[in-house]
């Protein structure tokens, strides 16, 4: 809490009144700026952005109500009180409706003035204290660029902190868009010396025939087309970290080679008998259920056990909805910093809509939806109308299913599609198994998956995903 004086601006065409206010409030922890000319007074307010404003109601040219309106626009948090010699209940109600905090009748005793202004100052101090608390909480809720105040995320942060200095291999699991790559980078940064490389390999994006040479390098002439010797990702990352993204998509042959590398901590370039000692830590990530893949013989069991010695599970956003307001603020801040246009906040109603949606595409989907809302917004504050309501409502909580009081009850077909997509994801994209599990034909499944305007499939929401192959040495320590 700050003990700086609260700035109070008072405008009254009667200079004696200004003197009276200044004398009465001396020693109350306020710095008082008085002005008898209403237009100049308004300028004073715009320049100093006072926390408290005292306005005479009847003044020539610009009256108190007009100033009130302008102050509420420019300094919405300011506590404004009106003072008048012609008190009436109607005008008091009118002023309160327009955002005034108090409406005082002249003449006013020094005691009463001190009491009523004291209440306004107290409200200001309280808000200052709350915003300091809020700031402190926000500081605790950000960890290596990851935001989360939920217990689940706080637990993840502390596991990352504890694992980072010690791990050789970690598996990061979690649905698409939950922040697996951010977690991998945090593990790298916290556990390595500055300026060692963080090398990313997206296993799903490299053709099967090239993956070994991408990972381990090759010598000149190792295969047709190998005109030059090439250093692989592991060698490049010496001293640092290799991030194997989408490890579930790695072909079985490459999995066998990777296992040997993890066991022996050495590599051979393709076509070379020489071994190279490795000092590299490995973070692998996947949105697939590797256990199911092991059962289906799509993933090597021995590699699975090697990788799961240390496992970090990033929780889906729907299980930590209390993080949504903070994430939204973070996205807002980033959007404002880009300077495209000023967006100052979000209405409570809009926040409720965001909280009700299950976010199958997780934080990435929230980022896309909300950034889009900022771009499209007509006002400075994001409201429900700026959100893609159809998308957010159609897939929203299957709990509302069957509730006819709902303005837009969920259609059965949409619910079926939502369910099918979840099962498909759980079964690692295996459509045959999914159809079997759901007890429907494959063609019915295909028509379900392709139908509708639902964009719930995380793949469709994939903006800014790592490129084919992306080397990234990370000096930001
Ligand atoms: N806790 C978080 N705080 C702030 N931003 C986050 C958080 N989690 C994710 N993001 C943002 O969401 C987007 C997706 O994150 P990331 O790429 O790490 O997810 P992922 O789990 O690797 O997804 P995929 O499985 O699709 O590769 C990124 O833009 C990232 O910055
Ligand atoms: Mg990723």
């Amino acid at each position: 809490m700050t003990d700086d004086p609260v700035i109070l601006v008072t405008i009254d065409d009667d200079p004696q009144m200004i003197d009276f206010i200044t004398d009465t409030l001396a020693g109350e922890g306020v710095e008082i700026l008085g002005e008898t000319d209403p237009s100049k007074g308004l300028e004073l307010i715009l320049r100093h952005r006072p926390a408290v404003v005292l306005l005479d109601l009847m003044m020539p040219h610009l009256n108190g109500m007009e100033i009130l309106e302008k102050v509420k626009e420019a300094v919405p948090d300011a506590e404004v009180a009106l003072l008048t010699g012609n008190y009436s209940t109607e005008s008091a109600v009118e002023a309160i409706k327009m955002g005034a905090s108090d409406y005082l009748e002249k003449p006013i005793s020094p005691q009463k003035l001190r009491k009523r202004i004291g209440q306004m100052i107290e409200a200001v101090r309280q808000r200052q204290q709350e915003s300091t608390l809020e700031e402190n909480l926000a500081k605790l809720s950000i960890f290596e660029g990851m935001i989360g105040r939920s217990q689940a995320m706080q637990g993840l942060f502390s596991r990352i902190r504890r694992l980072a200095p010690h791990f050789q291999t970690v598996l990061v699991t979690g649905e698409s868009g939950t922040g697996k790559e951010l977690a991998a980078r945090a593990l790298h940064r916290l556990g390595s010396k500055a300026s060692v490389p963080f090398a990313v390999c997206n296993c799903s994006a490299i053709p099967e025939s090239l993956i070994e040479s991408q990972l381990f390098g090759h010598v000149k002439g190792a295969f047709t087309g190998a005109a030059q010797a090439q250093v692989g990702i592991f060698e490049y990352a010496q001293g640092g970290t290799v991030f194997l993204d989408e490890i579930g998509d790695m072909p079985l042959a490459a999995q066998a080679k990777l296992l040997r590398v993890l066991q022996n901590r050495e590599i051979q370039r393709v076509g070379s008998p020489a071994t190279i000692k490795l000092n590299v830590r490995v973070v692998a990530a996947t949105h697939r259920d590797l256990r199911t893949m092991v059962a289906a013989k799509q993933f090597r069991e021995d590699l699975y056990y090697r990788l799961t010695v240390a496992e970090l599970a990033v929780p889906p956003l729907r299980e930590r909805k209390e993080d949504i307001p903070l994430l939204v603020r973070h996205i807002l801040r980033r959007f404002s910093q880009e300077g495209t246009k000023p967006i100052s906040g979000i209405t409570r109603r809009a926040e409720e809509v965001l909280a009700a949606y299950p976010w199958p595409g997780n934080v990435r989907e929230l980022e896309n939806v909300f950034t889009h809302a900022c771009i499209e917004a007509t006002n400075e504050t994001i409201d429900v109308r700026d959100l893609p309501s159809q998308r957010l409502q159609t897939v929203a909580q299957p709990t509302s299913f069957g509730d006819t009081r709902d303005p837009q009850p969920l259609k059965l077909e949409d619910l079926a599609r939502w369910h099918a997509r979840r099962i498909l994801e759980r079964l690692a994209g295996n459509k045959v198994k999914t159809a079997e599990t759901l007890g429907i034909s494959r063609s019915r499944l295909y028509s379900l998956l392709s139908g509708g305007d639902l964009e719930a499939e995380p793949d469709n929401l994939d903006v800014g995903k790592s490129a084919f192959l992306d080397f990234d040495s990370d000096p930001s320590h």
Side-chain angles (χ1 to χ4, degrees):
M1 179 175 154
T2 149
D3 278 328
D4 292 343
V6 166
I7 299 181
L8 180 151
V9 168
T10 174
I11 310 177
D12 199 307
D13 56 341
D14 174 5
Q16 281 184 345
M17 194 61 201
I18 292 188
D19 289 344
F20 168 73
I21 289 170
T22 311
D23 293 345
T24 307
L25 297 178
E28 299 288 316
V30 278
E31 180 185 335
I32 299 171
L33 307 168
E35 178 55 61
T36 49
D37 177 328
S39 312
K40 285 192 185 149
L42 187 57
E43 279 170 27
L44 206 61
I45 290 170
L46 298 183
R47 194 162 57 237
H48 291 278
R49 308 183 63 81
V52 181
V53 175
L54 253 177
L55 299 173
D56 184 25
L57 184 62
M58 303 294 259
M59 291 183 287
H61 308 306
L62 202 58
N63 70 38
M65 287 298 235
E66 290 165 324
I67 299 182
L68 169 65
E69 201 178 343
K70 294 200 157 69
V71 173
K72 281 279 130 186
E73 247 172 56
V75 196
D77 279 347
E79 300 276 336
V80 185
L82 286 147
L83 269 165
T84 177
N86 306 310
Y87 181 89
S88 77
T89 318
E90 293 78 42
S91 57
V93 169
E94 177 64 19
I96 305 284
K97 257 200 215 155
M98 282 176 62
S101 311
D102 208 345
Y103 196 81
L104 305 166
E105 188 175 8
K106 284 188 199 173
I108 184 166
S109 71
Q111 293 83 344
K112 191 169 178 188
L113 183 68
R114 265 198 295 271
K115 182 171 172 217
R116 303 285 275 265
I117 301 297
Q119 288 167 347
M120 289 163 69
I121 294 171
E122 185 50 37
V124 170
R125 293 259 186 234
Q126 189 116 27
R127 267 208 307 275
Q128 284 173 346
Q129 199 174 6
E130 277 162 15
S131 75
T132 318
L133 274 178
E134 187 75 12
E135 274 166 32
N136 287 342
L137 199 59
K139 268 186 218 141
L140 290 179
S141 311
I142 180 153
F143 171 78
E144 294 292 315
M146 300 181 88
I147 295 197
R149 73 166 50 157
S150 58
Q151 219 179 347
M153 287 305 276
Q154 290 286 322
L156 182 74
F157 298 165
S158 90
R159 283 208 70 203
I160 291 178
R161 209 180 285 117
R162 278 181 283 141
L163 265 177
H166 305 294
F167 77 94
Q168 286 297 325
T169 312
V170 177
L171 179 68
V172 183
T173 57
E175 290 175 15
S176 207
T178 45
K180 295 185 294 296
E181 182 158 349
L182 284 185
R185 286 179 189 273
L187 280 165
H188 164 70
R189 268 199 303 270
L190 291 178
S192 327
K193 292 195 192 73
S195 309
V196 294
F198 179 80
V200 180
C201 173
N202 186 342
C203 302
S204 69
I206 302 177
E208 188 163 349
S209 58
L210 287 183
I211 193 152
E212 280 177 39
S213 103
Q214 293 279 3
L215 290 173
F216 313 124
H218 62 249
V219 293
K220 187 173 168 182
F223 48 86
T224 330
Q228 297 294 330
Q230 190 190 306
V231 167
I233 287 164
F234 274 89
E235 229 181 306
Y236 169 85
Q238 276 287 21
T241 311
V242 168
F243 177 46
L244 299 175
D245 204 2
E246 312 291 359
I247 186 101
D249 294 338
M250 185 181 268
L252 283 162
Q255 288 179 25
K257 299 245 160 67
L258 174 65
L259 178 67
R260 265 203 308 282
V261 169
L262 296 181
Q263 278 167 343
N264 305 333
R265 298 273 150 196
E266 57 187 30
I267 51 160
Q268 285 174 303
R269 290 186 182 182
V270 176
S272 162
T275 54
I276 302 166
K277 274 276 161 219
L278 277 185
N279 171 26
V280 165
R281 310 196 306 158
V282 175
V283 181
T286 182
H287 68 278
R288 298 190 188 279
D289 182 352
L290 291 186
R291 211 186 304 260
T292 314
M293 291 184 73
V294 168
K297 302 252 180 290
Q298 293 162 334
F299 200 84
R300 285 186 71 106
E301 190 171 15
D302 42 12
L303 179 59
Y304 172 77
Y305 285 119
R306 185 95 208 170
L307 290 174
T308 48
V309 169
E311 188 172 341
L312 279 180
V314 187
L317 190 54
R318 66 181 169 280
E319 286 174 13
R320 46 178 165 113
K321 289 199 162 169
E322 60 271 43
D323 290 340
I324 293 177
L326 277 186
L327 285 164
V328 161
R329 236 167 287 163
H330 170 72
I331 302 165
L332 258 179
R333 212 175 309 126
R334 217 167 39 193
F335 185 83
S336 306
Q337 277 163 4
E338 281 169 14
T340 341
K341 74 184 197 204
I343 301 282
S344 58
I346 171 168
T347 63
R348 178 160 295 207
R349 286 187 310 170
E351 250 180 344
E352 279 164 10
V353 171
L354 296 181
Y357 181 65
W359 299 107
N362 294 293
V363 184
R364 181 179 292 112
E365 186 185 12
L366 176 66
E367 267 182 354
N368 290 346
V369 164
F370 199 70
T371 308
H372 195 251
C374 289
I375 294 169
E376 295 289 318
T378 40
N379 269 333
E380 276 200 20
T381 309
I382 303 290
D383 200 357
V384 179
R385 65 168 179 274
D386 303 312
L387 300 171
S389 53
Q390 218 178 350
R391 162 165 163 185
L392 297 189
Q393 278 167 21
T394 352
V395 213
Q397 348 69 355
T399 47
S400 73
F401 142 68
D403 187 348
T404 45
R405 287 164 306 170
D406 201 314
Q408 264 187 304
L410 197 61
K411 294 200 178 69
L412 265 186
E413 184 79 356
D414 289 338
L415 184 71
R417 181 172 312 119
W418 184 86
H419 183 57
R421 287 192 170 155
R422 294 202 55 190
I423 298 298
L424 183 68
E425 203 173 306
R426 206 171 302 157
L427 294 176
N430 187 328
K431 294 196 172 116
V432 178
K433 274 221 170 108
T434 304
E436 237 172 64
T437 308
L438 294 170
I440 56 177
S441 69
R442 250 182 285 167
S443 59
R444 167 80 178 116
L445 176 67
Y446 282 117
S447 90
L448 253 187
L449 293 175
S450 61
D453 58 352
L454 290 185
E455 291 176 76
E457 195 155 62
D459 288 350
N460 293 346
L461 307 162
D462 203 350
V463 171
K465 201 166 176 164
S466 10
F468 167 61
L469 174 67
D470 147 23
F471 279 126
D472 170 7
S473 52
D474 196 344
S476 61
H477 204 77

